[in-house]
Amino acid sequence: MADDLCSFAKDIFVIKVPKKSPLVLRMIVLVFAMVCGVYICSICLKQISTHSKAGYLNVQVIQKPCPEPQIEPWEIPYVHYPKPKTYSRAECACNPVRYFAILSMQRSGSGWFETLLNNHTNISSNGEIFSVKVRRSNTSTIVETLDKIYRLDWLSSASKNECTAAVGLKWMLNQGLMQHHADIVEYFNTRGVSVIFLFRRNLLRRMISVLANSYDRDVKLLNGTHKSHVHSPHEAEILANYKPIINATLLIPNLKQVEETTAKALEYFKSTRHIILYYEDVVKNHTEKRERVDPLKMGIFTCLQKLIDVQHFLKVPLRELKSRQVKIHKGSLSSQIKNWDDVQKTLKGTHYENFLHSDYRK
């Protein structure tokens, strides 16, 4: 009887617990565990994402703003804290930067003047950027280029370190400046860009320089290389040997045209913060006007008065500025113009006659 009971119980056990049931149960448990795992991971990822976003927001909120500079209220629009896209200004992020533009005409001393500015540790003037036509093709490309310059993302040989205090460019009047003057004036006034006008008083000497430079561009007197500026007296002497012939008939109309263009530029940009310089005043060696800087504030330096004025205008520390460039055309005009008698006769008795006499006569 006992054997029958055992056999019956065994049959019941076999029926209720098939051999394959443990595998099924394991599969069910495994699937359930996977579903739970996926759910838990998704919850965790959402929480991590939420914390990350909150973390970024917290960084922006707790970031200390730059301290207010000790300046006059009118200066505030001209003080900037650019944020380059290509690098970080790091510890210089709170060093204020001034924006400027040198507005000039070809062969007016702007190249030499710019080398003086770039000799300053804290000034970066990036050259004649709009000589490339595509950059000045329309207002949009002009604004895009200016934004890149003043954002400190324009890389050139003049680019200084992250602690630049003044950044700008050299811009010729015939490089889209006059054509788009209204939009450019608006940009300058909106973005706080200061203007440095640089012109020549003696337009006849400028004309000689223009003609000589044009001739050398074709002939290439210096060993087959054209140079607009030189760094040795020997090179300057070679270029100065060329004496241009000036068209006496067109001389006065050409001088008038340059005067009118200059006057228009001054009128167009009169609403900007600006300073007007003349090449003759900058190059002239005012020995009696050299200024000694307060040694307690800036150190002991001597510098030409006009260059001191420019540094004050850009609000940078005063430095003695030097250039390696050598002046090409020197001395009396009679030795530089091939048809001197014709030119002298044409200008005599006009208000341009003073151009004949002195390099720096006003």
Side-chain angles (χ1 to χ4, degrees):
M1 181 68 179
D3 292 338
D4 293 337
L5 290 173
C6 290
S7 176
F8 178 72
K10 184 177 179 180
D11 292 339
I12 293 174
F13 177 77
V14 170
I15 293 172
K16 288 185 177 181
V17 187
K19 290 182 179 181
K20 294 182 180 181
S21 60
L23 180 59
V24 174
L25 289 174
R26 289 173 184 170
M27 290 297 295
I28 293 172
V29 172
L30 180 60
V31 171
F32 179 77
M34 290 176 63
V35 172
C36 291
V38 172
Y39 176 75
I40 293 171
C41 287
S42 65
I43 296 297
C44 292
L45 289 174
K46 288 181 179 180
Q47 291 180 345
I48 292 172
S49 177
T50 303
H51 287 309
S52 297
K53 291 180 180 178
Y56 290 132
L57 291 174
N58 287 338
V59 169
Q60 292 179 353
V61 171
I62 65 175
Q63 185 177 7
K64 293 183 179 179
C66 294
E68 291 292 333
Q70 301 298 317
I71 58 176
E72 297 292 330
W74 68 266
E75 293 184 78
I76 294 176
Y78 302 99
V79 174
H80 311 279
Y81 299 92
K83 297 180 180 179
K85 292 183 179 180
T86 54
Y87 64 93
S88 170
R89 295 189 73 205
E91 69 274 8
C92 298
C94 286
N95 284 26
V97 179
R98 314 276 176 154
Y99 301 161
F100 69 89
I102 305 168
L103 307 190
S104 187
M105 303 178 76
Q106 283 83 357
R107 314 311 297 174
S108 295
S110 59
W112 169 73
F113 178 74
E114 190 176 44
T115 61
L116 290 171
L117 293 187
N118 282 325
N119 186 242
H120 195 292
T121 308
N122 305 112
I123 300 178
S124 295
S125 188
N126 291 283
E128 209 168 309
I129 290 174
F130 288 105
S131 61
V132 180
K133 290 184 178 180
V134 67
R135 296 172 186 161
R136 62 176 196 258
S137 57
N138 54 60
T139 301
S140 298
T141 57
I142 290 174
V143 169
E144 182 181 348
T145 302
L146 291 175
D147 283 345
K148 188 173 182 179
I149 295 169
Y150 295 129
R151 200 173 56 231
L152 302 183
D153 276 326
W154 192 274
L155 299 180
S156 71
S157 58
S159 301
K160 299 295 197 303
N161 56 27
E162 293 82 357
C163 293
T164 294
V167 62
L169 72 156
K170 184 175 66 169
W171 201 343
M172 300 295 102
L173 300 187
N174 62 351
Q175 294 174 351
L177 192 67
M178 305 294 280
Q179 180 182 355
H180 303 283
H181 66 88
D183 294 325
I184 296 170
V185 167
E186 182 181 0
Y187 182 96
F188 283 179
N189 288 333
T190 303
R191 307 297 178 89
V193 179
S194 299
V195 172
I196 302 174
F197 287 108
L198 179 65
F199 299 118
R200 286 191 81 150
R201 295 187 187 277
N202 196 321
L203 301 182
L204 181 58
R205 286 189 176 272
R206 175 185 175 273
M207 182 179 291
I208 294 171
S209 183
V210 169
L211 293 173
N213 186 64
S214 178
Y215 174 79
D216 185 68
R217 188 180 291 111
D218 297 329
V219 179
K220 300 178 176 59
L221 295 171
L222 296 174
N223 298 321
T225 303
H226 169 61
K227 290 187 177 182
S228 296
H229 309 95
V230 296
H231 299 96
S232 73
H234 176 65
E235 291 178 326
E237 184 179 356
I238 293 175
L239 294 182
N241 284 333
Y242 170 71
K243 298 179 181 181
I245 297 176
I246 295 178
N247 188 324
T249 304
L250 298 177
L251 178 55
I252 290 181
N254 287 339
L255 294 176
K256 284 183 178 180
Q257 184 181 15
V258 175
E259 280 186 331
E260 291 172 358
T261 302
T262 301
K264 282 183 181 179
L266 294 173
E267 178 64 23
Y268 288 160
F269 291 86
K270 67 180 181 180
S271 65
T272 63
R273 177 178 181 261
H274 62 269
I275 184 174
I276 302 174
L277 301 175
Y278 289 93
Y279 168 77
E280 289 84 353
D281 297 336
V282 179
V283 75
K284 194 173 183 181
N285 188 10
H286 294 286
T287 307
E288 72 280 2
K289 292 185 179 180
R290 289 193 176 184
E291 177 179 316
R292 180 172 293 276
V293 184
D294 184 354
L296 297 178
K297 295 181 178 179
M298 301 291 184
I300 300 177
F301 296 98
T302 58
C303 188
L304 298 180
Q305 182 62 46
K306 290 299 178 182
L307 296 181
I308 291 176
D309 294 343
V310 171
Q311 292 178 77
H312 283 318
F313 180 73
L314 295 177
K315 305 297 182 182
V316 295
L318 291 182
R319 297 288 185 268
E320 184 178 11
L321 306 181
K322 299 178 181 179
S323 173
R324 293 178 54 243
Q325 285 192 12
V326 177
K327 185 175 175 63
I328 297 174
H329 296 98
K330 299 181 292 184
S332 64
L333 284 172
S334 59
S335 63
Q336 299 176 34
I337 302 174
K338 195 166 187 178
N339 59 331
W340 168 249
D341 292 337
D342 295 338
V343 171
Q344 190 176 29
K345 182 179 179 181
T346 300
L347 297 185
K348 193 170 183 180
T350 71
H351 74 281
Y352 301 116
E353 184 178 359
N354 60 344
F355 293 164
L356 300 170
H357 305 298
S358 175
D359 199 359
Y360 306 115
R361 180 173 294 192
K362 300 179 182 180

